[in-house]
Amino acid sequence: MHPHFLRDLEIRETLHEFYVEKAMSKLASSLEGLKTELNSDRFTPPPADLANPPRNDDGRLILKEGNLFHPYSQSPSPQIRRRAAFMKHNAYCSHPDHHSTRMATLPVDPELRKSNIKPSSLPPAHVSFECPDCGIPVSCSEEHWADDYESHLEICDTLREINEDDHDLRSGRFFPEFEYPPNQIEEALVNMTNWDTFLYSREFPAINEPRSMRQATKLLTYPVTIASVLSELSPYNIRRGGRLTTEGLKSFSALRYTLHPPRSGAGMDMKGIRPNPPPMRIFILGARAESSLPREVWIQLSYIFPRVAFHLIFIGPEAMANRDREYPLPERTPSNPFGAIVEARISHQLKISTYVEYFHTLHAAGQFYPYDPYFDCFMLFHPGLGHPASSHEWAETLPQLLETKVPILCTGYTEWDMERDKKWVEEKMGGEVDLLLEAGENRFRSLRWDLNDLDPTDVSCGNWGVWAFRGKRYETTRKDVD
């Protein structure tokens, strides 16, 4: 072996050992700083019997079905223990004797029970006591938990369900509910009545356990919510109680004409060559977690509508959050002025583009012109249009959305969240809005409940409700002149 190669190899090994030692020393100092920052009453190390939890041959954690409940601070999972420490460091006790710490955003917000003018009011206190029934830190002390137990009892069972579902995801078991079927013959129509009929008609493996059903719908709710509104077999119709309005029938009929085209007689030979229509563009604004979903989830859209090509466009400043290692952001160049990340080889029927930018900036630059009501649709997952912390970000975008005259689908975490968004849109734009789909519960909402780490009393589920609107269209009428 050449001596220069050996010397280079020795240098690389020496540098590797140096950087490993340097990284380990940094990690040790960071851990010491974290232990110092977190008080001993807010951070509980795992008990001795969980120091070496059972693991399978791959080193993954093993938790059986009857062993999924653990208090968060004593969980076998390090991620959940860190989550408990975060909650104890940031979430506040909801007992009414404490001063309020924020402005109430909902009519049923527990923060409304607090008062800053009572002489007996206590200063805000972080949660530290974990309910023995749900295992989640909800109160600052056992006394306040017992005193407010009647209020906590309303969500205690749901919190325990969240606890067990979180541990189930980290149990190390095999998840057959995350195996998705391929495309099927076109003659096998997909029944969009509810989750059971959809999974059966799409030939998913049978899901017999409620927990497995919750885990599966947590991901599938995003593409199926879009499909359930746009499909010609949609459960939302113009009949009484169907929630679809006359204007909605007009807009969705145009999209359904594109999504359900007639057979063109195309074939593999020269005689079978036919022109293909442009792809259906779905603009997903304010994209966050939905942009990082496995592509096998989003490809379900092309299986539900097998004759159509889709182009999903994720837009928002958080569209690539925590995905830098997966897709480093490209440089902005004259040929790619907004640094778009294009995934064009997912399928011949699906293309995904991601823009880490606000929509009003792209719209002002004419990036997506022209808009076509037959081929374009906007989707807003939990946008927080009327939320005090985010409404200012939508103030400039909303008029531009209505200007396109393209359908805008919108979901909400809860009924109050959805109604607040709808009220904000109506107040902001006055009579320049046409309602396409009345607000109500989403047939394909996530069946799994989610917990707000900053407020353990705030429980919601993904895409609980759905509604749709569009910029107002004025029809031209003729007046006969005598």
Side-chain angles (χ1 to χ4, degrees):
M1 189 176 294
H2 199 278
H4 291 291
F5 177 80
L6 290 175
R7 188 169 22 334
D8 290 343
L9 185 61
E10 292 174 357
I11 293 174
R12 289 178 183 176
E13 291 177 351
T14 304
L15 288 174
H16 175 72
E17 293 175 357
F18 170 76
Y19 285 117
V20 167
E21 292 177 359
K22 188 175 181 180
M24 292 298 293
S25 62
K26 276 190 175 181
L27 179 61
S29 61
S30 300
L31 291 175
E32 289 297 329
L34 179 61
K35 291 180 180 178
T36 304
E37 180 182 358
L38 296 177
N39 297 332
S40 58
D41 60 336
R42 294 181 185 168
F43 180 78
T44 306
D49 57 342
L50 293 178
N52 294 303
R55 298 179 182 273
N56 60 13
D57 296 337
D58 298 333
R60 293 181 298 176
L61 192 64
I62 298 177
L63 292 175
K64 301 298 183 182
E65 176 62 30
N67 189 33
L68 293 178
F69 174 73
H70 298 274
Y72 266 24
S73 62
Q74 301 179 18
S75 169
S77 170
Q79 294 92 341
I80 296 182
R81 293 200 301 272
R82 286 195 293 269
R83 185 179 182 185
F86 177 86
M87 295 173 66
K88 292 181 179 182
H89 197 61
N90 294 277
Y92 288 95
C93 178
S94 61
H95 194 277
D97 282 350
H98 291 288
H99 285 294
S100 60
T101 57
R102 56 178 174 80
M103 183 179 66
T105 57
L106 300 174
V108 293
D109 198 326
E111 202 72 12
L112 289 174
R113 303 183 304 156
K114 299 180 180 180
S115 174
N116 291 334
I117 59 176
K118 291 193 305 182
S120 59
S121 292
L122 300 174
H126 290 288
V127 296
S128 58
F129 179 78
E130 292 176 328
C131 171
D133 297 324
C134 64
I136 292 177
V138 292
S139 297
C140 63
S141 64
E142 184 175 0
E143 291 76 14
H144 274 190
W145 168 80
D147 187 51
D148 202 32
Y149 184 71
E150 184 177 353
S151 175
H152 172 69
L153 200 59
E154 298 176 359
I155 60 172
C156 188
D157 290 342
T158 304
L159 292 179
R160 184 183 179 100
E161 184 180 287
I162 293 173
N163 183 320
E164 294 181 354
D165 288 347
D166 284 342
H167 282 94
D168 178 57
L169 278 181
R170 296 163 177 82
S171 63
R173 72 173 177 90
F174 176 68
F175 291 87
E177 59 267 35
F178 293 150
E179 290 191 339
Y180 304 120
N183 56 343
Q184 58 194 41
I185 58 174
E186 293 186 27
E187 289 74 17
L189 296 180
V190 179
N191 191 325
M192 306 295 292
T193 304
N194 52 45
W195 275 120
D196 291 329
T197 59
F198 169 77
L199 296 175
Y200 177 78
S201 58
R202 260 296 287 134
E203 299 180 356
F204 274 76
I207 302 178
N208 301 317
E209 297 297 328
R211 178 169 291 111
S212 298
M213 189 71 166
R214 294 196 294 270
Q215 306 288 23
T217 59
K218 171 74 172 178
L219 303 183
L220 288 173
T221 180
Y222 292 96
V224 181
T225 293
I226 299 175
S228 67
V229 177
L230 302 184
S231 172
E232 64 179 3
L233 301 177
S234 170
Y236 312 109
N237 52 65
I238 202 169
R239 294 190 291 270
R240 180 179 298 179
R243 294 169 51 190
L244 187 66
T245 66
T246 304
E247 292 298 323
L249 182 62
K250 295 177 183 178
S251 286
F252 293 146
S253 294
L255 292 173
R256 290 166 184 172
Y257 181 82
T258 301
L259 291 171
H260 302 278
R263 291 184 181 274
S264 62
M268 301 299 293
D269 54 0
M270 291 294 294
K271 294 182 179 180
I273 296 178
R274 298 291 185 277
N276 291 324
M280 171 91 177
R281 296 192 301 179
I282 300 180
F283 300 90
I284 301 176
L285 308 189
R288 298 186 295 273
E290 56 269 22
S291 65
S292 61
L293 287 177
R295 293 335 186 200
E296 292 81 1
V297 176
W298 283 114
I299 206 171
Q300 295 301 313
L301 274 176
S302 62
Y303 294 158
I304 298 173
F305 306 104
R307 300 183 193 173
V308 182
F310 286 92
H311 184 190
L312 303 183
I313 305 172
F314 296 104
I315 303 173
E318 300 179 61
M320 290 296 295
N322 301 322
R323 297 181 63 198
D324 295 339
R325 294 184 179 179
E326 181 183 0
Y327 288 105
L329 293 179
E331 295 183 3
R332 302 196 175 197
T333 62
S335 60
N336 188 10
F338 295 102
I341 299 174
V342 180
E343 303 171 57
R345 299 194 178 186
I346 299 174
S347 163
H348 70 282
Q349 289 183 296
L350 179 64
K351 174 183 175 182
I352 294 180
S353 300
T354 305
Y355 291 83
V356 185
E357 187 59 84
Y358 286 102
F359 173 76
H360 54 256
T361 304
L362 300 170
H363 179 83
Q367 182 73 10
F368 304 115
Y369 273 112
Y371 297 95
D372 191 328
Y374 281 82
F375 291 95
D376 294 336
C377 174
F378 289 100
M379 183 71 226
L380 281 62
F381 290 112
H382 322 112
L385 297 174
H387 195 282
S390 57
S391 59
H392 67 281
E393 296 181 344
W394 292 100
E396 187 177 352
T397 299
L398 182 61
Q400 297 177 346
L401 290 178
L402 300 182
E403 182 184 305
T404 65
K405 309 300 181 183
V406 168
I408 305 165
L409 311 183
C410 188
T411 67
Y413 284 114
T414 62
E415 181 180 6
W416 295 107
D417 179 43
M418 183 174 56
E419 291 293 341
R420 180 181 57 197
D421 290 350
K422 180 183 174 184
K423 181 180 178 181
W424 183 83
V425 170
E426 293 174 346
E427 292 178 350
K428 187 76 175 176
M429 301 309 300
E432 295 301 316
V433 176
D434 279 333
L435 188 63
L436 307 183
L437 182 67
E438 296 177 357
E441 185 173 357
N442 180 13
R443 296 280 190 96
F444 292 93
R445 70 174 180 87
S446 169
L447 299 181
R448 180 182 166 182
W449 294 96
D450 297 315
L451 176 66
N452 183 357
D453 291 352
L454 298 176
D455 183 6
T457 62
D458 183 12
V459 177
S460 61
C461 67
N463 301 324
W464 182 91
V466 62
W467 63 292
F469 62 99
R470 180 200 65 204
K472 193 171 187 64
R473 300 183 66 177
Y474 297 91
E475 302 294 339
T476 302
T477 58
R478 285 191 175 187
K479 183 177 180 180
D480 295 332
V481 180
D482 296 335

